[in-house]
Amino acid sequence: MPTAPASTPDTQALEAMRRQLAAWSIRMCARAGSGHPSTCLSASHLLTGLFFGGFLNYDVARPHWPDRDRFVLSKGHGAPILYAALAELGAFPTADLMTLRELGSPLEGHPNARRLPWVEASTGSLGQGLSIGLGMALAARLQGRDFRSWVLMGDGELDEGQVWEAAMAAAKYRTANLTAIVDRNGYQQTGPGDQVLPLEPLADKWAACGWAVLTIDGHDWPAVLEALTQARSAGRDRPLAIIARTVKGFGVQRIVDDPGNKFHGVPLLGDAAEAAVREVLQG
Amino acid sequence: MKIGSSIGLPLGEPTRNAFGEALADLGATEPRLVVVDGDVGNSTRTEVFGERFPERFFNVGIAESNMVGVAAGLAASGHIAVTASFAAFLTCNAYDQIRMAVGFPHTNVKLVGSHCGISIGEDGPSQMGIEDLALMTSVPGMTVLCPADGASARVLTRLMVEREGPVYMRTGRPQAPVVYAAAPELAIGRAERRREGGDVTLIACGLMVAAALEAAAMLAAEGIEARVLDMHTIKPLDVAAIVAAARETRGIVTAEEHLLDGGLGSAVARVVAREAPCRMGFVGLDNTFAMSGKPDDLMDHFGLNAAGIAAEVRRVLGA
Ligand SMILES: Cc1ncc(C[n+]2csc(CCOP(=O)(O)OP(=O)(O)O)c2C)c(N)n1
Ligand SMILES: [Mg+2]
């Protein structure tokens, strides 16, 4: 069973894998003709670090192993990069990735736990994942197991009141085995978050709810690995929120440069997709 | 969408677009009109209103429960408050707020749920509103609308805004086959007879009206003449039209892009059972969350098409 490595993860290998997952996300959405590639790209370091840096205690061969760490993709529209990570870990053939969103494929537009055994929670209605992650963290304690619960959320997703209900409940129960990772890319569906619903001072909000908070650059490998290491470290008596400052569409300049967030939920198609794949692999 | 294509119905605007444009037009003549969005105005098309009347447009972020409460507060203060999100998020996430702040006090809030049914396609079950009619008809005093095409959606948007009290209207994502000429004369609570026929009655709403017209053409080739009713108002139901159908034809088949539980079919069946028992059939989603796929593929897979309706008619008539 794979467990968290004692040694520091190899950032070069991680970066290579991250680029693969980014490329898959773009290709999968291009093939499907729909999906949210820019959402996947901003989370690419966070997800790659967690899954391939040895931080997630997980074995795709045994998706129902009771001691596995739980990962909840609360921002369910980031499904492609989760599927890509699972395929690269050997859960199913990478060729299956190109069935994203097809009739009958278990790789649905948003993660469906009933169709895909590696999906811990069905998501796609934003704001619900942290509560589920908290329930899992409480179950670990109740069952005397030492697994951890990780929840990846969008920053726009934090608009939902349920997130803060979960945050306060987690503080009450001092679930140190629960980590919330916020993909703080600054954009949501209809525009920049600071115009749609301002969240700042965001770190203060989590702290006020009783959480430990780390604010990091979510595209800087040392920072990401250090934060994930801290998440696993003993000696904290409360849940941890990692606020990762990221760039929506990271690695694809035409998405990054677009000030209007026009690419939210819009795939790159044809030549544009191929160019973007080259860019994330080589750029 | 290929629904309606076999009888030559051209594809028109999506009902969500028609709603968005009609709403913006109403903003010019109705100063009390305000709109509350939950970070999806580009999906529901309330953004058209927001661009023209930014001071009367509030985007409260991805927070449907709050959104409905804010709309209720505006309505309680003299405004006509329209609030829209995906049908699933609006009616499921904010059900308690709809019940307590809209239904119970009977406030002047107009709820609009886009992305109804499975014809949204690839995004999959989490984004599909397939229980919204059940939830919204369960609110006492709520009017519930489901337009068939763009032209009727425009008219129903106006009627919704003019009507006093809570209204829910569902709209769809894909281009809708054109069923009506421009600006049809519709009335809330009055079914529209879109085809005459004495053998069986098809009662449909939304995209399934076009599918029912298509089914009627298929059945006609077999010698079965179907009456087709567009039941664009699910609540209050046109009881007289249902009773007439039950008495004048040999059976009723309902068709909806919704779960069979608590939707159009259930509502019609209640009227039929009480007022004029007749044979009935039901086309809709049967105890399923559906799945991802192309809109046409999904409609075919779940039998939400002309063939599915025609098969149900044959079963009902024993033909
Ligand atoms: C409850 C709910 N309301 C609305 C939506 C529609 N929606 C999908 S993605 C999105 C924006 C999400 O923004 P964010 O959480 O910041 O994610 P990211 O920027 O990573 O894409 C919205 C509003 C939804 N999926 N769920
Ligand atoms: Mg964001």
Side-chain angles (χ1 to χ4, degrees):
Chain A
M1 93 189 50
T3 47
S7 60
T8 331
D10 171 357
T11 50
Q12 265 185 352
L14 283 175
E15 176 61 11
M17 178 55 72
R18 186 195 69 76
R19 287 169 183 255
Q20 275 308 330
L21 301 187
W24 277 125
S25 305
I26 295 165
R27 283 193 208 109
M28 293 163 73
C29 295
R31 166 73 180 246
S34 61
H36 302 74
S38 68
T39 293
C40 297
L41 296 171
S42 61
S44 59
H45 287 81
L46 302 167
L47 198 117
T48 308
L50 187 58
F51 275 75
F52 295 88
F55 296 99
L56 189 78
N57 190 16
Y58 194 72
D59 180 3
V60 289
R62 292 183 298 155
H64 301 298
W65 172 41
D67 288 312
R68 71 191 184 281
D69 276 5
R70 307 302 199 269
F71 173 73
V72 174
L73 182 67
S74 192
K75 54 169 218 170
H77 57 298
I81 195 162
L82 171 62
Y83 300 154
L86 291 171
E88 289 287 355
L89 285 170
F92 46 83
T94 51
D96 291 1
L97 291 173
M98 299 311 259
T99 68
L100 178 76
R101 295 174 162 243
E102 277 178 13
L103 190 77
S105 170
L107 307 187
E108 295 204 339
H110 295 73
N112 181 340
R114 233 176 141 187
R115 299 283 300 279
L116 207 60
W118 304 275
V119 168
E120 302 284 0
S122 297
T123 51
S125 181
L126 293 166
Q128 302 192 16
L130 191 59
S131 303
I132 299 170
L134 169 58
M136 291 168 169
L138 291 172
R141 182 183 293 171
L142 191 61
Q143 297 167 12
R145 302 180 192 278
D146 65 0
F147 67 79
R148 315 192 66 85
S149 173
W150 309 81
V151 180
L152 178 61
M153 289 180 287
D155 51 357
E157 183 179 8
L158 303 186
D159 298 355
E160 289 284 1
Q162 185 181 349
V163 172
W164 303 99
E165 296 171 22
M168 291 184 284
K172 172 184 175 186
Y173 290 105
R174 297 194 163 268
T175 46
N177 56 344
L178 174 65
T179 301
I181 306 176
V182 178
D183 182 354
R184 183 88 174 102
N185 60 27
Y187 283 94
Q188 42 196 98
Q189 180 170 320
T190 59
D194 57 13
Q195 286 172 28
V196 177
L197 193 67
L199 293 173
E200 294 298 341
L202 185 57
D204 293 354
K205 283 193 172 70
W206 286 97
C209 285
W211 285 54
V213 191
L214 287 173
T215 302
I216 63 165
D217 174 347
H219 298 303
D220 177 51
W221 275 121
V224 169
L225 299 177
E226 170 57 23
L228 294 173
T229 303
Q230 282 203 35
R232 286 205 73 89
S233 69
R236 194 180 52 249
D237 65 347
R238 57 191 62 201
L240 172 68
I242 300 173
I243 301 172
R245 298 200 169 276
T246 57
V247 175
K248 200 155 176 171
F250 181 83
V252 179
Q253 212 52 41
R254 61 182 291 189
I255 302 182
V256 173
D257 287 345
D258 170 50
N261 194 34
K262 277 198 305 291
F263 288 96
H264 175 86
V266 177
L268 297 165
L269 301 173
D271 291 347
E274 279 170 34
V277 166
R278 276 196 302 278
E279 201 181 338
V280 296
L281 287 177
Q282 292 148 28
Chain B
M1 294 258 64
K2 68 175 192 212
I3 283 182
S5 60
S6 75
I7 51 170
L9 297 182
L11 276 184
E13 59 188 343
T15 51
R16 59 174 171 151
N17 290 21
F19 152 72
E21 278 164 28
L23 183 68
D25 289 345
L26 289 163
T29 53
E30 177 47 89
R32 290 175 302 164
L33 197 56
V34 294
V35 174
V36 189
D37 176 27
D39 193 31
V40 288
N42 51 349
S43 295
T44 62
R45 305 299 196 215
T46 57
E47 68 177 2
V48 188
F49 183 99
E51 280 155 15
R52 278 173 66 183
F53 309 103
E55 72 289 351
R56 284 190 271 153
F57 182 81
F58 304 92
N59 182 353
V60 297
I62 312 169
E64 294 74 16
S65 304
N66 182 48
M67 180 182 89
V68 169
V70 169
L74 285 158
S77 310
H79 289 282
I80 302 169
V82 174
T83 187
S85 182
F86 286 46
F89 309 138
L90 172 66
T91 67
C92 299
N93 195 323
Y95 185 81
D96 193 9
Q97 285 73 17
I98 291 171
R99 177 176 180 268
M100 282 309 298
V102 179
F104 191 29
H106 206 73
T107 43
N108 211 6
V109 175
K110 317 303 173 187
L111 306 153
V112 178
S114 70
H115 293 65
C116 75
I118 60 175
S119 57
I120 70 158
E122 291 86 346
D123 272 343
S126 65
Q127 320 291 301
M128 294 171 170
I130 57 171
E131 58 285 274
D132 56 326
L133 299 178
L135 291 169
M136 293 301 100
T137 54
S138 78
V139 178
M142 183 75 74
T143 295
V144 178
L145 307 173
C146 176
D149 71 353
S152 54
R154 282 171 189 267
V155 173
L156 289 172
T157 299
R158 177 173 52 77
L159 297 178
M160 168 180 79
V161 168
E162 287 169 3
R163 190 174 177 88
E164 193 59 36
V167 181
Y168 172 73
M169 181 167 79
R170 76 184 327 214
T171 64
R173 178 176 186 270
Q175 283 191 287
V178 174
V179 174
Y180 288 97
E185 272 189 39
L186 307 177
I188 287 177
R190 190 187 71 207
E192 287 298 312
R193 213 188 267 206
R194 300 306 297 164
R195 190 181 190 281
E196 300 297 337
D199 294 321
V200 67
T201 301
L202 309 179
I203 300 182
C205 62
L207 279 181
M208 298 310 286
V209 174
L213 291 168
E214 239 179 341
M218 287 168 73
L219 292 164
E222 300 167 24
I224 300 171
E225 287 302 328
R227 176 183 297 182
V228 176
L229 299 183
D230 171 10
M231 195 64 78
H232 53 70
T233 306
I234 321 297
K235 186 179 179 174
L237 262 187
D238 186 342
V239 173
I242 296 168
V243 170
R247 298 216 169 112
E248 293 162 17
T249 66
R250 287 190 284 139
I252 292 175
V253 170
T254 60
E256 61 197 303
E257 208 189 332
H258 185 275
L259 287 166
L260 289 178
D261 304 277
L264 171 68
S266 306
V268 171
R270 182 156 49 89
V271 173
V272 166
R274 187 152 73 183
E275 309 289 340
C278 72
R279 305 204 60 172
M280 276 199 74
F282 304 89
V283 172
L285 294 168
D286 192 359
N287 199 28
T288 178
F289 279 100
M291 55 179 137
S292 288
K294 292 195 168 44
D296 281 328
D297 292 351
L298 285 170
M299 298 296 270
D300 287 345
H301 181 86
F302 290 102
L304 302 188
N305 55 17
I309 297 172
E312 187 69 354
V313 167
R314 289 182 207 109
R315 191 189 66 76
V316 165
L317 297 184

